[in-house]
């Protein structure tokens, strides 16, 4: 079981908007910033969103992040077929001398 | 161009040891926190360990604490992961990752903005 809870899967059709949730606790999301990664099998993970809502250069503004309390969300608008991938949230957890925690991952399927 | 190249993976028997390497280029290595993250077959990403620029702050996942050691050589732009007492559950692709620039002497990782392609470690008899 992952410390951060994500839905195992979400789906949408091209052009739609989808959201992926990430639920944690006061020791992780509640007190730290959240990052989102996109991962295609066999490739290096890619940073999509960092410190809750910031996008690295080159990431389209179709991807956006938000955080409220002990939960965070990744929204993808104008869904495209190339968005089909696994998405992970991650953050710092202050417990046990500090460590990074990942969500279990969400498989996005573009129908 | 930022590049991270992992090496050192392979097949090892349970209880054995392996040392992973990550050669960094294209950026000022000694200014960044570095991490190892792994993905077991059919599983999600799992953070393994992080080390700050001066090696003063080091963190491990509970699953590897006491068995794995992270280190770095800033003069050679190399990140290491010494893995001892390996178990079947350590079988995974191991990624080296650079943290976002935090502007100075950072203590803990914020987010990994560059990743290597990974090296496969298989622990099996």
């Amino acid at each position: 079981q992952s410390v951060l809870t994500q839905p195992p899967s979400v789906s949408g059709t091209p052009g739609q908007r989808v959201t992926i949730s990430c639920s944690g606790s006061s020791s992780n999301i509640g007190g730290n910033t959240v990052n989102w990664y996109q991962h295609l099998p066999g490739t290096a993970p890619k940073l999509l969103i960092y410190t809750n809502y910031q996008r690295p250069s080159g990431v389209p503004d179709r991807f956006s992040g938000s955080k409220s309390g002990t939960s965070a969300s990744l929204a993808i608008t104008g869904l495209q077929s190339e968005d089909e991938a696994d998405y992970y949230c991650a953050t710092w957890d202050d417990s046990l001398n500090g460590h990074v925690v990942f969500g279990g991952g969400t498989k996005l399927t573009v129908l | 161009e930022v590049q991270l190249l992992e090496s050192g993976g392979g097949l090892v028997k349970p209880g054995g040891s392996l040392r992973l390497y990550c050669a960094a280029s294209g950026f000022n290595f000694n200014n960044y926190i570095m991490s190892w993250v792994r993905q077991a077959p059919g599983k999600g990403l799992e953070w393994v360990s992080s080390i700050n620029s001066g090696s003063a702050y080091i963190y491990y996942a509970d699953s590897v604490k006491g068995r794995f050691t992270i280190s770095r050589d800033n003069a050679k732009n190399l990140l290491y992961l010494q893995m001892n007492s390996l178990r079947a559950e350590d079988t995974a692709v191991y990624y080296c990752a650079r943290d976002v620039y935090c502007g100075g002497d950072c203590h803990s990782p914020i987010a990994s903005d560059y990743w290597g392609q990974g090296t496969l470690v298989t622990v099996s008899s």
Side-chain angles (χ1 to χ4, degrees):
Chain A
Q1 258 90 337
S2 302
V3 172
L4 305 180
T5 302
Q6 298 180 232
S9 64
V10 297
S11 63
T13 56
Q16 264 192 334
R17 178 182 187 269
V18 296
T19 62
I20 299 173
S21 61
C22 177
S23 177
S25 67
S26 58
S27 67
N28 42 67
I29 293 179
N32 298 285
T33 58
V34 178
N35 311 310
W36 290 91
Y37 299 92
Q38 178 190 60
H39 190 206
L40 290 151
T43 69
K46 176 184 177 182
L47 180 64
L48 279 182
I49 299 289
Y50 66 103
T51 56
N52 300 331
Y53 63 88
Q54 293 185 273
R55 279 188 309 276
S57 62
V59 174
D61 58 7
R62 301 188 297 105
F63 295 90
S64 63
S66 64
K67 180 190 126 172
S68 178
T70 59
S71 294
S73 288
L74 172 71
I76 309 172
T77 58
L79 201 60
Q80 300 179 2
S81 57
E82 59 257 39
D83 298 333
E84 186 161 296
D86 297 319
Y87 293 83
Y88 296 88
C89 59
T91 186
W92 183 254
D93 192 304
D94 296 316
S95 65
L96 303 172
N97 298 316
H99 55 288
V100 175
V101 289
F102 278 89
T106 298
K107 169 67 177 178
L108 168 62
T109 301
V110 181
L111 302 169
Chain B
E1 179 193 3
V2 172
Q3 289 195 330
L4 299 170
L5 184 61
E6 303 95 338
S7 61
L11 175 63
V12 62
K13 289 182 169 52
S17 297
L18 214 54
R19 195 181 205 198
L20 302 186
Y21 304 81
C22 173
S25 61
F27 64 100
N28 197 342
F29 181 72
N30 58 10
N31 280 351
Y32 290 82
I33 288 176
M34 299 295 295
S35 300
W36 289 97
V37 177
R38 68 185 180 183
Q39 184 177 35
K43 303 290 187 182
L45 298 176
E46 180 189 16
W47 171 80
V48 173
S49 180
S50 297
I51 183 170
N52 85 322
S53 55
S55 303
Y57 294 89
I58 290 175
Y59 307 91
Y60 296 101
D62 278 354
S63 57
V64 307
K65 199 172 293 183
R67 300 186 300 121
F68 290 12
T69 302
I70 192 172
S71 61
R72 62 192 296 163
D73 185 332
N74 288 341
K76 295 181 179 179
N77 290 355
L78 282 171
L79 176 72
Y80 307 99
L81 185 68
Q82 177 66 43
M83 304 186 296
N84 298 332
S85 303
L86 282 162
R87 306 165 180 167
E89 53 265 36
D90 295 318
T91 294
V93 174
Y94 285 74
Y95 296 99
C96 160
R98 188 194 84 167
D99 219 65
V100 296
Y101 182 63
C102 65
D105 183 25
C106 306
H107 294 181
S108 57
I110 299 170
S112 294
D113 60 353
Y114 284 92
W115 299 62
Q117 290 299 313
T119 186
L120 177 62
V121 172
T122 303
V123 183
S124 175
S125 54

